[in-house]
């Protein structure tokens, strides 16, 4: 049962590694790994035998992305050095090559290959389609099972996370030429436990290590590096990123479509990493964002219902074009996640603690101040005691929609630090206090129209979840959570996706049902709206 799962999860937590420890372990694994393009009819055994001459292979997997690739993790870094000794820079005809030795390699196989050997398994790196999702959901027996199954279908796999860290590590080989102590760390949905297959890789160029030289006290004599100065911290960040953007563009194997977006609030270099298929955003000097990722990760670990609800809400929002892959006046996945956290803090008893509470529980080594903002949170999850709350996911989903369908957005702001709504300090449509930079609003970009669409859809979904026809498991039409992914009837949401979906066969039962909802739903929403 869910209650048992929750108790089990809480006791597991005691043995949980900290966020930092997990990231360090993954980063270190990535440094011992290589990415190899290989023939699709590869003989796995011969391939591994060949590489094993350089040392023990810990793990490996194959995947397809415009060709076959293998990620190979050695057990020691010396193997990478030994391997590199044996690799040649290719002689290209009619062209010339930039002789940069990276860990992105090509495996050459002389002559034609026989296909009599068994084919390796290729691990999938992309999310299931909406039709596949609907199929999976239809086979479940409850909304709770549907949301658990959705999470399992969409979440990043072990291999996908390894590949993300490897891409960061490959990029570090380029930036390390200028700043040998630097680290490229993934943040955002790659590490916050809410990532969906196919999401972008957000990266930070971390230069902290450069400042960590020993400051020996003594005679008063000392040496200092002479440095080039910039007008401001922002100007220095822009100048570093612009040079790195140029290097990635001109020297980085597999890196294409490099764009320097240096005028943004948070300057970044955007590019596609072709061998992995990832869209990458490289930023610098962005420690608060890393702390936000840690915070979301921590909330995600505290109770399994958090991730299931976030995956459900994010999927629902994407299908109805509440969120978009293009930046604009819409709500972002980050804001939506904070809204789910806030909602779970409002339960009685609360499912999640406030951010202030996480700060109180912090130990001396957790202390963290970034640019004057206190970003301290507890890292040892076992210190957090949770209250007994056994709400089902069905209930939480239903009440999430009711909560935001009736939230006083015009006067209240969402504040997870206090776990209580606060008076809105500004007249923006949606005010969600930035968890660590408390004078900022993370949803400043959202306009009134987008907020209204969100509220209308929340009301409609809340209403749908009260209907017998929607709640009862049915084998011939979408039911439960799947019914919430059908085109909206009350709001003008997602014109494009609605047109697309018209082409798909929908059973006549659900069509009739929706036609009737159009009338009834409109009335209910109007009534609720005036209440
Ligand atoms: P995806 O949509 O799956 O990529 O989710 P994401 O969490 O990775 O979001 P995104 O790539 O847009 O941003 C990456 C990270 O930057 C987030 O996880 C946040 O930590 C941070 N971030 C994004 N938007 C904002 C914002 O408006 N304000 C602040 N302070 N941080 C933000
Ligand atoms: Mg992201």
């Amino acid at each position: 049962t869910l209650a048992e799962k929750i108790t089990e999860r809480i006791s597991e937590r005691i043995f949980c590694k900290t966020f930092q420890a997990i990231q360090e372990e993954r980063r270190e694994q990535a440094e011992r790994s290589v990415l190899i393009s290989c023939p699709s009819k590869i003989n796995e055994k011969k391939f591994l035998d060949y590489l094993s001459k350089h040392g023990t292979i810990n793990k490996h997997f194959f995947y397809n992305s415009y060709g076959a690739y293998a990620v190979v993790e050695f057990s020691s870094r010396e193997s990478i050095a030994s391997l590199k000794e044996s690799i040649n820079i290719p002689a290209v005809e009619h062209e010339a090559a930039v002789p940069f030795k990276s860990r992105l390699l090509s495996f050459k196989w002389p002559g034609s290959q026989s296909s009599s050997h068994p084919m390796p398994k290729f691990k999938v790196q992309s999310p299931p389609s909406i039709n596949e999702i609907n199929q999976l959901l239809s086979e479940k027996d409850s909304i709770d099972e549907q949301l658990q199954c959705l999470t399992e279908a969409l979440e990043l796999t072990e291999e996908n996370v390894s590949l993300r860290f490897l891409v960061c590590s490959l990029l570090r080989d380029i930036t390390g030429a200028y700043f040998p102590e630097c680290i490229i760390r993934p943040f955002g949905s790659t590490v916050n436990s809410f990532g969906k297959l196919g999401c972008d890789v957000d990266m930070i160029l971390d230069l902290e290590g450069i400042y960590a030289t020993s400051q020996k006290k003594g005679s008063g004599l000392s040496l200092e590096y002479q440095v080039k100065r910039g007008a401001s911290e922002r100007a220095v960040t822009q100048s570093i990123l612009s040079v790195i953007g140029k290097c990635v563009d001109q020297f980085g194997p597999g890196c294409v479509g490099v764009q320097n977006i240096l005028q943004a609030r948070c300057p970044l270099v955007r590019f596609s990493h072709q061998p992995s298929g990832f869209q990458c955003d490289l930023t610098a000097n962005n420690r608060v964002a890393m702390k936000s990722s840690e915070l979301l990760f921590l909330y995600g670990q505290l109770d399994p219902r958090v991730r299931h609800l976030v995956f459900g809400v994010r999927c629902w929002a994407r299908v109805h074009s509440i969120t978009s892959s293009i930046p604009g006046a819409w709500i972002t996945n980050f804001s939506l996640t904070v809204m789910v956290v806030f909602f779970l803090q409002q339960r009685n008893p609360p499912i999640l603690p406030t951010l202030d509470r996480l700060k109180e529980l912090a130990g001396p080594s957790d202390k963290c101040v970034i640019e004057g903002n206190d970003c301290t949170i507890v890292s040892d999850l076992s210190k957090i005691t949770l209250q007994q709350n056994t709400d089902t996911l069905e209930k939480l989903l239903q009440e999430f929609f009711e909560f935001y369908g009736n939230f006083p957005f015009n006067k209240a702001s969402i504040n997870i630090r206090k776990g209580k709504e606060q008076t809105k300090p500004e007249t923006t449509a949606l005010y969600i206090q930035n968890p660590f930079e408390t004078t900022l609003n993370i949803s400043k970009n959202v306009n009134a129209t987008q907020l209204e669409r969100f509220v209308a859809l929340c009301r409609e979904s809340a209403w749908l979840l009260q209907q017998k026809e929607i709640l009862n498991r049915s084998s011939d039409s979408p039911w439960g959570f799947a019914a919430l992914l059908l085109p909206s009837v009350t709001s003008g949401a997602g014109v494009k996706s609605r047109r697309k979906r018209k082409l798909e066969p929908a059973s006549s039962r659900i069509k009739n049902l929706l036609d009737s909802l159009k009338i009834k739903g409109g009335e209910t929403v109007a009534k609720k709206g005036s209440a």
Side-chain angles (χ1 to χ4, degrees):
T1 68
L2 185 66
E4 278 164 4
K5 274 206 180 139
I6 294 167
T7 328
E8 196 179 295
R9 188 54 185 258
I10 290 168
S11 52
E12 256 174 36
R13 215 156 27 81
I14 298 166
F15 309 103
C16 236
K17 290 186 201 131
T18 65
F19 178 77
Q20 266 93 9
I22 298 170
Q23 309 314 310
E24 278 308 303
E25 190 176 324
R26 293 229 178 245
R27 190 171 70 79
E28 202 268 323
Q29 284 167 353
E31 287 183 347
R32 289 186 267 112
S33 304
V34 287
L35 181 52
I36 309 181
S37 154
C38 44
S40 58
K41 288 181 183 165
I42 184 102
N43 182 329
E44 187 169 0
K45 185 170 178 306
K46 281 194 178 160
F47 175 73
L48 293 177
D49 284 348
Y50 180 85
L51 292 171
S52 297
K53 283 187 284 191
H54 300 282
T56 315
I57 295 171
N58 260 6
K59 260 184 261 162
H60 75 282
F61 66 91
F62 294 90
Y63 68 92
N64 269 312
S65 160
Y66 306 105
Y69 286 89
V71 171
V72 180
E73 180 196 314
F74 287 94
S75 63
S76 137
R77 285 175 69 159
E78 275 111 66
S79 304
I80 304 283
S82 156
L83 185 69
K84 276 187 144 182
E85 300 257 300
S86 75
I87 306 174
N88 301 311
I89 301 271
V92 281
E93 284 170 46
H94 316 301
E95 296 169 299
V98 178
F100 176 70
K101 292 182 171 179
S102 79
R103 280 176 288 141
L104 173 62
L105 313 171
S106 295
F107 190 64
K108 298 290 173 191
W109 198 278
S112 68
Q113 292 178 69
S114 82
S115 49
S116 56
H117 54 80
M119 281 293 133
K121 255 190 95 150
F122 288 89
K123 301 277 184 178
V124 174
Q125 307 297 327
S126 49
S129 69
I130 185 78
N131 286 339
E132 287 164 324
I133 289 174
N134 276 325
Q135 181 59 38
L136 286 169
L137 296 179
S138 71
E139 291 158 8
K140 298 293 152 193
D141 287 318
S142 66
I143 291 184
D144 283 60
E145 282 182 19
Q146 284 185 326
L147 288 177
Q148 289 170 42
C149 155
L150 183 77
T151 309
E152 281 159 24
L154 296 179
E155 71 189 347
L156 302 182
T157 59
E158 176 60 34
E159 291 82 12
N160 192 265
V161 177
S162 300
L163 185 55
R164 286 164 183 266
F165 274 82
L166 178 51
V167 172
C168 291
S169 175
L170 295 178
L171 196 61
R172 203 222 79 97
D173 289 348
I174 300 176
T175 57
Y178 291 103
F179 305 109
E181 297 91 347
C182 80
I183 295 174
I184 301 230
R185 302 184 190 275
F187 72 106
S189 52
T190 297
V191 299
N192 69 15
S193 82
F194 299 108
K196 171 186 155 205
L197 284 173
C199 70
D200 65 354
V201 187
D202 304 293
M203 307 171 176
I204 297 179
L205 170 69
D206 180 350
L207 300 176
E208 287 302 299
I210 299 178
Y211 299 95
T213 46
S214 61
Q215 305 222 320
K216 287 212 180 79
K217 288 204 187 90
S219 62
L221 304 175
S222 72
L223 279 173
E224 221 173 44
Y225 288 100
Q226 278 204 13
V227 290
K228 193 117 187 171
R229 287 159 203 259
S232 66
E233 201 154 357
R234 179 177 165 86
V236 171
T237 300
Q238 287 170 326
S239 117
I240 293 174
L241 283 178
S242 77
V243 173
I244 285 171
K246 197 131 196 158
C247 282
V248 171
D249 187 29
Q250 312 216 345
F251 299 164
C255 301
V256 297
V258 181
Q259 278 176 280
N260 282 5
I261 308 173
L262 302 177
Q263 298 312 319
R265 186 189 65 89
C266 183
L268 65 104
V269 175
R270 175 166 290 170
F271 61 96
S272 297
H273 186 258
Q274 244 172 3
S276 62
F278 293 142
Q279 153 105 350
C280 305
D281 277 354
L282 175 67
T283 62
N285 200 359
N286 194 8
R287 282 171 67 208
V288 180
M290 182 59 100
K291 211 65 195 174
S292 311
S293 306
E294 179 180 351
L295 175 68
L296 293 189
F297 169 83
L298 193 148
Y299 277 130
Q301 297 304 296
L302 287 180
D303 186 300
R305 289 171 295 183
V306 181
R307 292 182 67 236
H308 298 319
L309 199 59
V310 170
F311 272 91
V313 169
R314 280 191 175 199
C315 174
W316 165 88
R318 188 67 191 90
V319 164
H320 292 294
S321 310
I322 291 287
T323 51
S324 164
S325 53
I326 318 157
W330 8 91
I331 300 179
T332 61
N333 274 333
F334 181 56
S335 295
L336 263 185
T337 311
V338 174
M339 288 170 94
V340 173
V341 168
F342 183 70
F343 163 72
L344 294 171
Q345 291 173 332
Q346 307 297 302
R347 308 298 304 160
N348 188 14
I351 292 180
L352 289 177
T354 65
L355 181 46
D356 271 343
R357 180 71 192 140
L358 298 179
K359 186 172 137 188
E360 281 164 26
L361 292 170
S365 63
D366 295 333
K367 183 99 190 130
C368 173
V369 178
I370 302 168
E371 287 157 27
N373 297 301
D374 191 342
C375 302
T376 306
I377 50 172
V378 60
S379 59
D380 177 358
L381 299 186
S382 67
K383 285 194 196 160
I384 306 167
T385 44
L386 298 173
Q387 305 192 49
Q388 269 294 329
N389 175 313
T390 52
D391 287 347
T392 61
L393 284 168
E394 177 177 333
K395 182 170 181 198
L396 291 173
L397 187 67
Q398 159 95 46
E399 296 193 4
F400 172 86
F401 291 131
E402 277 174 19
F403 183 79
Y404 285 114
N406 295 295
F407 190 82
F409 287 109
N410 57 342
K411 52 176 204 284
S413 71
I414 290 168
N415 183 322
I416 61 165
R417 182 162 283 281
K418 302 265 170 270
K420 271 201 213 97
E421 56 188 70
Q422 308 277 306
T423 311
K424 216 158 80 164
E426 284 169 24
T427 55
T428 35
L430 176 60
Y431 198 103
I432 305 176
Q433 193 195 60
N434 185 319
F436 294 120
E437 292 160 298
T438 53
T439 56
L440 302 179
N441 172 11
I442 63 165
S443 52
K444 205 183 165 86
N445 62 311
V446 178
N447 66 19
T449 315
Q450 292 303 322
L451 181 66
E452 279 159 25
R453 288 185 48 224
F454 171 75
V455 171
L457 267 163
C458 280
R459 289 178 183 176
E460 182 181 305
S461 295
W463 187 84
L464 281 169
L465 283 175
Q466 289 164 356
Q467 310 310 307
K468 272 207 313 293
E469 300 91 324
I470 297 292
L471 289 176
N472 290 345
R473 191 187 192 290
S474 149
S475 54
D476 63 345
S477 61
W479 65 278
F481 183 71
L484 304 185
L485 303 181
L486 290 167
S488 155
V489 292
T490 55
S491 86
V495 179
K496 213 166 117 209
S497 61
R498 204 185 324 172
R499 207 184 306 139
K500 208 168 67 198
R501 223 117 25 91
K502 249 189 195 157
L503 304 170
E504 294 162 9
S507 86
S508 57
R509 180 175 170 265
I510 200 76
K511 190 178 170 301
N512 294 340
L513 175 65
L514 282 167
D515 284 345
S516 70
L517 296 186
K518 200 178 249 173
I519 308 153
K520 285 193 262 171
E523 280 169 16
T524 319
V525 168
K527 242 183 263 155
K528 262 199 182 164
S530 60

